[in-house]
């Protein structure tokens, strides 16, 4: 895992722009703490920061290959899990390798197949190839959008990077619009910053002297599912066994993220069984909050605390387990908030859930360099409560927004009323929803109900999950931890997506296929547990700390945040009575404080449209 960046300028020789390239590259230092490298030739300049995972001495970048027609240079972030098979294929075709890294396999694969190499890769990746034979830059992103990839066209070329901060280090970028920050919907390709775009998942973007062109090499497609229940369950298990085996490959210490829910428990148990066959024990880590298990208050979102279930699975699977216990003071630390906002480049207002994830990853990094996560199983297998909520099912909008509004209220609650009217978030969301559902095709003979559930699944896999993957990537790479997501393997995603909802919920519960496919690995408590979201602290001291910070902010009425935030609304939130479990009441405070930090760090020129 790494950080990549680069610059193509057809009107200049970028060998004279070493200082700017260095500045762009150094913004990615947290993503790649082990090594750095830059390369430039004529109109192209590439930068790389490396987190060494496979072939520690041999995978340095940028990696180049000389050809009679010109140099081909690669900067690559991610992992290709089928690189061993691809290496054998390329060797048989006459390629000779000088390293054992998957990076060289991708480079040689590009030399053999051009940008069609993307279709052959199984993994998570974002990479750019400068093809000196054609004077073109080729940018490719993985199918599910696990690894981030941003670019900004310029009058004579393009700037790109793993994160916006790399592009921003090459000046002159402003904000395009605020609406994306308050919708809880990730619009494909939209990067918020003016003129900046994302390379969309499953897409190749090629930049040449005559401009830019795109090619979609993968999209989630509707296909018949002929398999019965037993065959489907067996196929899911076979796929999971293969996926976890591939994703355990690393030359550095590995671990799993364990929440005590079905997703992470099944993955951890699979990893534990596979490693036991090699005489190894899997390490597992979980986040917990001081005193939360003993004083837990059930609510509509979370019926049970995680820790008892975490420990049940750790004992059953025989993992080397450690709880990372966080207190309210650490979660509310303004320095942690600053690190989170800087890591995400945007003030997204997820508060303690972002802070705890960052702190969990920072603690894990002292022990492991690679972690396997259960992220995206809910989207793949149908695990959220709103999959079973009739109002959410029938709503003419993104279904998660129905539950989100009910559970957390209006995310724009502390904004100035005039700004809320100008943003017109409902119209923005409605337009995004109409665009999203047009991409879903229907099988011949598919019932109205099955098609409705297919659309809901498609929306989760093409909109909702991308926001969560981005969050996981940013928080982990901020501390140099590579997080792998087995449930995002495109083979599993394609197969389960096309299983009808009647199969996905054959026992009337969420994630029926995953539960049945891994039943032999799970203790009864975990097998029977109802879905619980990522944990959030219930300690009133956290909310009180936020209120104190909001009061300090209100004492600075000239702060630029008050061009966006209504001081009277914030004042009411800062003096509201705090009781255990008041997560929804904290959202306005977290949003305002994140906005203030972001404005201090980035000083953007804001356009409200």
């Amino acid at each position: 895992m790494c950080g990549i960046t680069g610059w193509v300028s057809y009107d200049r020789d970028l060998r004279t722009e070493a200082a700017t390239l260095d500045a762009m590259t150094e913004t990615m230092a947290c993503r790649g703490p082990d090594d750095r490298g830059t390369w430039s030739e004529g109109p192209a300049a590439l930068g790389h920061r490396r987190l060494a995972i496979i072939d520690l001495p041999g995978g340095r970048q940028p990696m180049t290959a000389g050809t009679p027609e010109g140099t081909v240079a690669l900067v690559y972030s991610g992992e290709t899990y089928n690189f061993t098979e691809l290496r054998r294929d390329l060797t048989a075709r006459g390629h000779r390798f000088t390293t054992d890294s998957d990076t060289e396999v991708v480079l040689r694969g590009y030399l053999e197949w051009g940008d069609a190499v993307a279709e052959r890769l199984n993994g998570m990746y974002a990479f750019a190839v400068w093809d000196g034979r054609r004077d073109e830059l080729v940018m490719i992103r993985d199918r599910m959008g696990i690894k981030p990839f941003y670019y900004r066209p310029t009058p004579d070329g393009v700037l790109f990077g793993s994160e916006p901060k790399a592009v921003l280090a090459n000046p002159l970028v402003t904000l395009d619009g605020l609406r994306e920050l308050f919708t809880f919907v990730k619009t494909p390709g939209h990067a918020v910053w003016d003129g900046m775009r994302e390379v969309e998942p499953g897409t190749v973007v090629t930049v040449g002297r005559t401009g830019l062109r795109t090619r979609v090499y993968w999209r989630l497609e509707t296909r018949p599912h002929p398999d019965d229940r037993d065959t489907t369950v067996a196929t899911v298990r076979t796929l999971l066994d293969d996926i976890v085996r591939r994703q355990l490959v690393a030359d550095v210490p590995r671990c799993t993220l364990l929440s005590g829910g079905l997703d992470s428990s099944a993955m951890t148990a699979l990893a534990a069984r596979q490693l036991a066959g090699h005489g190894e024990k899997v390490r597992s880590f979980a986040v917990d909050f001081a005193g939360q298990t003993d004083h837990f208050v059930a609510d509509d979102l979370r019926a049970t605390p995680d820790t008892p279930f975490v420990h049940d699975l750790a004992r059953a699977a025989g993992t080397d387990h450690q709880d990372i216990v966080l207190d309210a003071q650490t979660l509310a630390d303004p320095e942690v908030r600053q690190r989170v906002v800087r890591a995400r480049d945007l003030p997204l207002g997820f508060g303690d859930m972002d802070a705890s994830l960052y702190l969990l990853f920072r603690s894990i990094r002292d022990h492991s360099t690679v972690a396997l996560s259960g992220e995206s199983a809910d989207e793949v297998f149908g695990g959220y409560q709103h999959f079973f909520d009739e109002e959410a099912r029938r709503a003419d909008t993104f279904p998660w927004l129905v539950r989100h509004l009910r559970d957390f209220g209006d995310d724009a609650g502390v904004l100035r009323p005039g700004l809320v009217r100008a943003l017109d978030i409902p119209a923005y969301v409605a337009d995004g929803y109409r665009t999203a559902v047009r991409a879903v095709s229907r099988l011949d003979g598919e019932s109205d109900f099955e098609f409705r559930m297919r659309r809901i699944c498609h929306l989760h896999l093409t909109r909702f999950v991308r926001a969560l993957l981005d969050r996981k990537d940013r928080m982990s790479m901020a501390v140099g931890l590579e997080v792998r997501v087995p449930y995002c393997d495109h083979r599993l995603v394609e197969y389960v997506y096309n299983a009808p909802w009647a199969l996905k919920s054959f026992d009337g519960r969420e994630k029926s296929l995953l539960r049945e496919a891994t039943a032999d690995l799970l203790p009864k408590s975990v097998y029977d547990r109802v879905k619980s979201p990522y944990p959030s602290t219930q300690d009133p001291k956290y909310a009180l700390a936020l209120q104190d910070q909001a009061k300090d902010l209100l004492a600075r009425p000239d702060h630029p945040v008050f061009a966006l935030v209504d001081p009277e609304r914030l004042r009411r939130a800062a003096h509201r009575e705090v009781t255990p479990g008041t997560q929804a009441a904290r959202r306005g405070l977290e949003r305002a404080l994140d906005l203030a930090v972001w404005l201090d760090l980035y000083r953007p020129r804001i356009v409200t449209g």
Side-chain angles (χ1 to χ4, degrees), residues 440-456:
V440 189
S441 56
R442 184 172 186 166
L443 283 178
D444 291 341
E446 192 168 42
S447 71
D448 289 345
F449 174 75
E450 279 290 348
F451 182 55
R452 188 186 319 138
M453 296 311 297
R454 179 182 295 281
R455 291 202 309 185
I456 289 174

Side-chain angles (χ1 to χ4, degrees), residues 303-345:
T304 51
D306 284 350
T307 300
F309 300 92
V310 167
H311 293 173
D312 285 352
L313 189 283
R315 282 191 295 270
T319 76
D320 180 4
H321 181 74
Q322 182 177 341
D323 292 325
I324 305 299
V325 182
L326 306 174
D327 58 38
Q329 181 179 2
T330 304
L331 286 170
D333 187 339
E335 182 181 344
V336 172
R337 181 178 304 281
Q338 186 177 98
R339 290 178 182 273
V340 166
V341 171
R342 189 182 293 279
R344 300 204 71 172
D345 288 312

Side-chain angles (χ1 to χ4, degrees), residues 341-355:
V341 171
R342 189 182 293 279
R344 300 204 71 172
D345 288 312
L346 292 170
L348 296 173
F350 286 94
D352 74 303
M353 289 189 287
D354 272 357

Side-chain angles (χ1 to χ4, degrees), residues 48-61:
H48 187 265
R49 291 290 317 209
R50 186 183 185 207
L51 177 63
I53 301 294
I54 293 174
D55 189 8
L56 307 190
R60 298 195 68 188
Q61 297 185 46

Side-chain angles (χ1 to χ4, degrees), residues 291-305 536 538-540 579-582:
Q292 181 133 315
T293 300
D294 294 334
H295 305 289
F296 182 79
V297 178
D299 58 26
D300 290 341
L301 282 175
R302 301 172 179 87
T304 51
S536 180
Q538 296 184 339
D539 192 337
T579 57
T582 55

